[in-house]
Amino acid sequence: MSRSTTRLRLGLGASAFLLAAGLVPAPAQAADTTDYAIAVHPAAQGAKIDDTMYGVFFEDINRAADGGLYAELVQNRSFEYAAIDNRSYTPLTSWTVDGAAQVLDDAGRLNDRNRSYLSLGAGSSVTNSGYNTGVRVEQGKRYDFSVWARAERRSTLTVSLQDAGGTLATARRVAVRAGGWAQYRAAFTAARTSSEGRLTVASSGAVALDMVSLFPRDTYRHEPNGLRKDLAEKIAALKPGFVRFPGGCLVNTGSMQDYSEASGWQRARSYQWKDTVGPVEQRATNSNFWGYNQSYGLGYYEYFRLAEDVGAMPLPVVPALVTGCGQNRAVVDDALLKRHVQDTLDLIEFANGPVTSTWGRKRARMGHPRPFHLTHIEVGNEENLPVEFFARFKEFRAAVQAEYPDVTVISNSGPDDSGSTFDTAWQLNRDAKVDMVDEHYYNSPQWFLQNNDRYDSYDRHGPKVFLGEYASQGNAFKNGLAEAAYMTGLERNADVVKLASYAPLFANEDYVQWRPDLVWFNNHASWNSANYEVQKLFMTNVGDRVVPSTATGTPSLQGPIAGAVGLSTWATSAAYDDVQVTGADGATLLSDDFSGDASKWTHTGGGSWSLQDGQYVQSDTAAENTMVSAGDAAWHDYDLRVKATKKSGKEGFLVAFGVKDTGNYYWWNLGGWNNTQSAVEQAVDGGKSTLLSKAGSVETGRAYDVHVKVRGRQVTLYLDGREWGSFTDDKPAEPFRQVVTEDEKTGDLVVKVVNAQSADARTTIDLGGAKVASRARVTTLAAAPDAVNSETATAVAPVSSTFTGVAGKFTYTFPANSVTFLRIRQR
């Protein structure tokens, strides 16, 4: 996950994303149809599809681990929360004290890597509030309590569960003997169900406490340090071919040092696997990049077990010593680089080594003497410094290939789908004959409909593609439709795209740093997004080879780029002056030197705009997307000129054109991404895609002459009188997409059709002489484009049916706004 893409996380508007861009005919009534034809060529040779084609990517974002997949019910169980994790945190966050208690960081601690512990006075108690609304327990279910305690004199702990309605389980008494640290246990059976429970630990005498834990007995596969059952089962239901972990930005941000006295016990570190194995009370803690603490109770061993349990290939990601996600720093330390390279070799040994090896023995002692059969490992994640990254990547690859030649080492191409970083990274990967390159992008639904052919032109003999992170910007069904349409292109190019995973996987609805997400949950329920239902349909009906096929398209009704003009900022204060908009014939459409008022401008974003010294100034350096707009949404074929000056803040300034409304526009983002690059972005229904980007920054205090020339669907951009770049936005967002695969086990042809428009698609399907049964099993996802699944409503869910009209050539009408899979048995 890349922080550079946080700019893309905007809410989706209500209008249909295709129509916003004028790319398909206006919405039809349900009875309307558009005619298509699909021709299947079963005798032609299509690409082989690997069993690992689709997988999942787990990153600890949106409280996906602690408070999520990791089944621990106690928040801040080891009193390690700190302000470095989150400004609001203290060591007693999520705890309340009755009596005397304080958190200490001294030589009396449990162990060096568990730095803090609670000193609880005699006759005092502490109560934990859990996650979300509280500690969740279910009537009749068993829960295991444990705590590490130390006391100078024998004391008794009274452990209880309650909510506002009273007792949730019979209290337990735990005798703490005098002496050093020891672990104590008790078990509860919940008398009733509650999502608002509180766990209280009271002591008769003075005690030291650490690792206060409450675990449901009923976890996924019943592991003692296990996973929350409903969330793990949702992963298993996808039948993923691989599990990528642990990041994401967790891998390539923060310090690359270890957690030790020598490094000053650095908390804001990259995710390093050795911190996360062994007994949980001896694992390090860390400051999570996404703004909270991560306990590492869910660590590499548990990830490997999860992959094994769901029948997936484990795919770990290790730091490359080049930070990303907005940090963009290359670590220059040869000794540290060598240590990380050795750590990577040790990781492979931990996964695959015999029990007689150092790390294989460690794995065995944790309970898994059998190897985990690691075959792929990824180095780095979305590095914005491709040259520096690749120099380090080669060190990792050479070491792994020398010792483990059968392990595939995966590189990456940065955080975007195009641009200078992407191009440089790909060239380096090609020149070095890298086996596989990880691409990431988060774009608008329109982009996914427009770019179904992205991999058609990739070199069939070059590095393979791992599409490790992708999503359109929303969880409505229209987002799932666009992603489904795109996935037909991934399958068609299965000889190039070998692995693909939507991202992110999980989001706790009360702790959200990123939208959209595949699965949503709270402390008592979880639900599948519309996107999840699309992924599941594809992942459980992959097939073994592509059967070549072609389809007719939808007529495009594109007009010229049209819209008003706008000014905006992002985490920056900027000043604008001398706005001029002239038509292609030279006629003045708008002129404003801000010598009077700003009445021509409508403020639709955030921030604080005012007239200052004859300029229009946005002064709030914290505000994002502060758009003001002027003019007519019908304007087209015009020139926009403006003087823009950055005054202060993190980024540059934004000049918008083709502005339809708050969710539909283009803007030239000068000095974006922490003032590291400039780009033209297009917003459609609030979701953005990058059309053109270049590295570069803007200077504070310098006035830039910005000129945008719009002619038809071509745009040329000038900066200080020089052409900066140009693009033509004329690629149709095709709403009708299909692919056909063959399931060798069953002999089925699987015809997969996406109809992402508001008209039925009456389609003639010619199976090219294949001998088939007359009956097809049909699975359909169909819903309103704006339909969203929630805890209480499932608007998007698969419907199974049977179609009995199959023949060598037959007609099928695919519903409006639908994904349909026809499984046709070959004779």
Side-chain angles (χ1 to χ4, degrees):
M1 194 68 58
S2 167
R3 176 161 279 182
S4 70
T5 58
T6 57
R7 176 188 314 286
L8 307 178
R9 291 176 283 144
L10 302 175
L12 291 169
S15 59
F17 59 92
L18 293 171
L19 303 173
L23 294 172
V24 297
Q29 299 299 317
D32 289 348
T33 58
T34 304
D35 289 327
Y36 296 91
I38 296 174
V40 183
H41 309 288
Q45 187 65 39
K48 179 183 181 296
I49 307 174
D50 294 344
D51 292 340
T52 52
M53 173 76 183
Y54 294 121
V56 296
F57 166 47
F58 183 92
E59 179 175 7
D60 188 357
I61 184 174
N62 310 312
R63 287 280 191 187
D66 296 333
L69 184 62
Y70 187 49
E72 174 65 75
L73 297 173
V74 175
Q75 185 174 179
N76 190 17
R77 66 183 179 186
S78 59
F79 309 100
E80 295 288 342
Y81 278 27
I84 192 172
D85 308 327
N86 188 294
R87 290 179 183 176
S88 67
Y89 282 0
T90 74
L92 283 170
T93 292
S94 79
W95 294 94
T96 56
V97 176
D98 184 2
Q102 60 178 324
V103 176
L104 301 178
D105 178 0
D106 60 24
R109 62 179 64 90
L110 177 60
N111 59 66
D112 281 346
R113 291 163 70 80
N114 201 325
R115 306 292 293 168
S116 300
Y117 66 97
L118 182 73
S119 175
L120 185 64
S124 301
S125 66
V126 287
T127 298
N128 191 267
S129 58
Y131 295 94
N132 301 92
T133 55
V135 175
R136 165 70 175 184
V137 295
E138 295 181 53
Q139 182 176 356
K141 293 288 183 71
R142 298 273 287 174
Y143 297 85
D144 293 317
F145 169 83
S146 65
V147 64
W148 284 81
R150 172 174 56 78
E152 293 184 3
R153 296 181 178 84
R154 181 179 174 86
S155 299
T156 300
L157 301 180
T158 302
V159 187
S160 58
L161 277 168
Q162 66 283 324
D163 63 7
T167 299
L168 292 172
T170 302
R172 294 286 183 255
R173 295 186 183 277
V174 177
V176 178
R177 58 185 175 271
W181 287 102
Q183 189 176 34
Y184 300 90
R185 301 179 183 277
F188 294 92
T189 299
R192 55 188 176 85
T193 296
S194 176
S195 297
E196 300 175 352
R198 300 291 186 268
L199 175 74
T200 297
V201 180
S203 181
S204 63
V207 294
L209 303 178
D210 207 342
M211 297 296 291
V212 182
S213 174
L214 187 69
F215 242 89
R217 182 78 56 86
D218 188 17
T219 59
Y220 185 68
R221 299 296 176 107
H222 306 287
E223 296 293 334
N225 189 52
L227 307 181
R228 179 170 150 176
K229 192 172 184 179
D230 62 324
L231 297 183
E233 286 176 343
K234 288 187 182 303
I235 298 175
L238 293 170
K239 300 188 186 312
F242 64 88
V243 177
R244 177 179 181 251
F245 60 88
C249 286
L250 303 188
V251 167
N252 68 337
T253 54
S255 169
M256 299 294 164
Q257 299 289 341
D258 61 1
Y259 192 56
S260 67
E261 184 176 11
S263 66
W265 305 107
Q266 294 193 43
R267 285 285 292 270
R269 307 182 315 285
S270 62
Y271 196 111
Q272 299 175 45
W273 79 270
K274 288 181 179 178
D275 288 340
T276 76
V277 296
V280 291
E281 68 275 7
Q282 296 176 17
R283 299 183 189 181
T285 188
N286 203 4
S287 176
N288 183 291
F289 173 81
W290 298 106
Y292 52 90
N293 178 274
Q294 57 189 138
S295 71
Y296 287 147
L298 176 55
Y300 257 73
Y301 177 77
E302 289 75 27
Y303 286 127
F304 278 122
R305 288 296 301 263
L306 170 64
E308 182 179 68
D309 287 344
V310 301
M313 175 181 80
L315 205 166
V317 186
V318 298
L321 274 70
V322 177
T323 59
C325 302
Q327 297 182 358
N328 301 337
R329 182 173 61 90
V331 179
V332 181
D333 186 329
D334 287 341
L336 187 60
L337 176 61
K338 285 183 172 59
R339 194 268 287 175
H340 275 267
V341 170
Q342 185 60 50
D343 282 355
T344 301
L345 298 175
D346 292 344
L347 171 60
I348 299 172
E349 183 179 289
F350 176 78
N352 294 350
V355 297
T356 54
S357 66
T358 300
W359 289 101
R361 185 181 304 112
K362 180 88 167 181
R363 181 194 69 239
R365 286 175 177 170
M366 293 185 71
H368 201 280
R370 300 185 315 277
F372 283 118
H373 305 295
L374 176 67
T375 60
H376 291 66
I377 195 164
E378 183 172 355
V379 176
N381 171 76
E382 297 186 4
E383 282 72 25
N384 254 320
L385 302 173
V387 174
E388 293 85 344
F389 159 74
F390 204 75
R392 291 155 180 78
F393 171 82
K394 289 191 295 184
E395 298 280 338
F396 284 86
R397 185 177 69 158
V400 172
Q401 288 183 335
E403 195 158 336
Y404 299 102
D406 293 334
V407 173
T408 299
V409 185
I410 303 172
S411 180
N412 75 79
S413 59
D416 301 306
D417 62 84
S418 61
S420 58
T421 296
F422 179 88
D423 292 340
T424 300
W426 255 106
Q427 191 60 53
L428 291 166
N429 285 312
R430 278 192 293 267
D431 290 347
K433 295 181 169 51
V434 168
D435 289 326
M436 188 175 289
V437 178
D438 189 0
E439 293 189 355
H440 295 178
Y441 36 83
Y442 297 88
N443 289 322
S444 68
Q446 175 177 289
W447 184 94
F448 283 95
L449 293 174
Q450 289 176 314
N451 287 278
N452 176 275
D453 63 349
R454 175 179 176 88
Y455 297 107
D456 290 0
S457 59
Y458 271 50
D459 182 359
R460 297 356 244 183
H461 303 290
K464 303 305 180 184
V465 172
F466 171 23
L467 181 49
E469 298 183 31
Y470 73 98
S472 71
Q473 292 138 7
N475 277 143
F477 187 47
K478 59 189 171 186
N479 300 96
L481 285 169
E483 291 153 6
Y486 193 71
M487 292 171 79
T488 65
L490 299 183
E491 290 193 4
R492 186 176 65 252
N493 289 285
D495 57 327
V496 168
V497 183
K498 307 305 288 184
L499 308 169
S501 51
Y502 179 102
L505 178 59
F506 286 126
N508 186 320
E509 65 173 351
D510 292 332
Y511 311 94
V512 181
Q513 293 86 44
W514 188 280
R515 299 172 188 268
D517 302 282
L518 205 61
V519 175
W520 290 80
F521 66 92
N522 50 38
N523 67 352
H524 62 273
S526 58
W527 55 99
N528 302 334
S529 67
N531 319 67
Y532 176 97
E533 295 299 346
V534 166
Q535 292 290 323
K536 183 179 178 182
L537 188 56
F538 275 84
M539 292 170 76
T540 56
N541 293 277
V542 182
D544 300 288
R545 73 172 183 97
V546 176
V547 181
S549 60
T550 56
T552 53
T554 308
S556 175
L557 298 181
Q558 290 185 329
I561 292 174
V565 299
L567 311 171
S568 190
T569 60
W570 198 287
T572 304
S573 173
Y576 293 93
D577 202 358
D578 296 332
V579 178
Q580 295 284 333
V581 182
T582 54
D585 59 0
T588 299
L589 301 176
L590 173 69
S591 179
D592 200 339
D593 63 3
F594 301 109
S595 59
D597 57 30
S599 58
K600 297 176 182 177
W601 299 85
T602 301
H603 186 189
T604 56
S608 177
W609 289 87
S610 62
L611 291 175
Q612 299 178 22
D613 301 323
Q615 296 180 314
Y616 202 19
V617 178
Q618 197 294 113
S619 56
D620 186 347
T621 57
E624 299 178 346
N625 195 8
T626 64
M627 179 87 80
V628 292
S629 60
D632 191 328
W635 282 353
H636 59 87
D637 296 292
Y638 58 75
D639 289 80
L640 164 62
R641 293 177 172 85
V642 59
K643 283 186 170 61
T645 306
K646 173 183 176 177
K647 295 174 69 69
S648 62
K650 296 179 181 178
E651 304 210 351
F653 40 79
L654 302 116
V655 176
F657 54 97
V659 179
K660 295 285 191 184
D661 52 44
T662 56
N664 296 278
Y665 54 84
Y666 301 79
W667 67 20
W668 188 3
N669 182 354
L670 287 147
W673 293 269
N674 289 321
N675 204 15
T676 61
Q677 62 178 302
S678 298
V680 178
E681 298 175 278
Q682 181 185 16
V684 179
D685 269 6
K688 288 206 203 76
S689 301
T690 300
L691 304 181
L692 179 66
S693 68
K694 295 182 179 182
S697 59
V698 300
E699 299 174 24
T700 301
R702 174 183 166 185
Y704 291 84
D705 288 315
V706 180
H707 175 195
V708 180
K709 180 179 180 180
V710 183
R711 295 293 186 272
R713 300 200 67 81
Q714 182 172 354
V715 177
T716 309
L717 305 114
Y718 302 88
L719 192 61
D720 290 336
R722 291 187 170 186
E723 183 174 331
W724 178 86
S726 64
F727 68 92
T728 303
D729 182 25
D730 62 355
K731 200 169 188 179
E734 173 58 59
F736 185 84
R737 298 290 188 184
Q738 59 80 38
V739 70
V740 181
T741 64
E742 182 180 34
D743 186 330
E744 292 177 352
K745 191 174 189 178
T746 64
D748 290 349
L749 291 176
V750 189
V751 180
K752 310 172 186 184
V753 177
V754 181
N755 182 26
Q757 62 183 328
S758 298
D760 292 346
R762 183 172 53 209
T763 307
T764 299
I765 301 174
D766 186 341
L767 296 177
K771 304 298 183 184
V772 295
S774 62
R775 184 184 302 266
R777 288 180 289 138
V778 184
T779 306
T780 306
L781 292 171
D786 292 319
V788 176
N789 288 347
S790 68
E791 179 182 354
T792 57
T794 308
V796 182
V799 174
S800 298
S801 61
T802 301
F803 176 67
T804 57
V806 178
K809 186 174 183 179
F810 65 99
T811 299
Y812 190 93
T813 299
F814 297 96
N817 302 306
S818 68
V819 184
T820 306
F821 280 28
L822 302 172
R823 291 192 70 104
I824 301 170
R825 181 64 55 87
Q826 295 184 93
R827 290 176 175 170

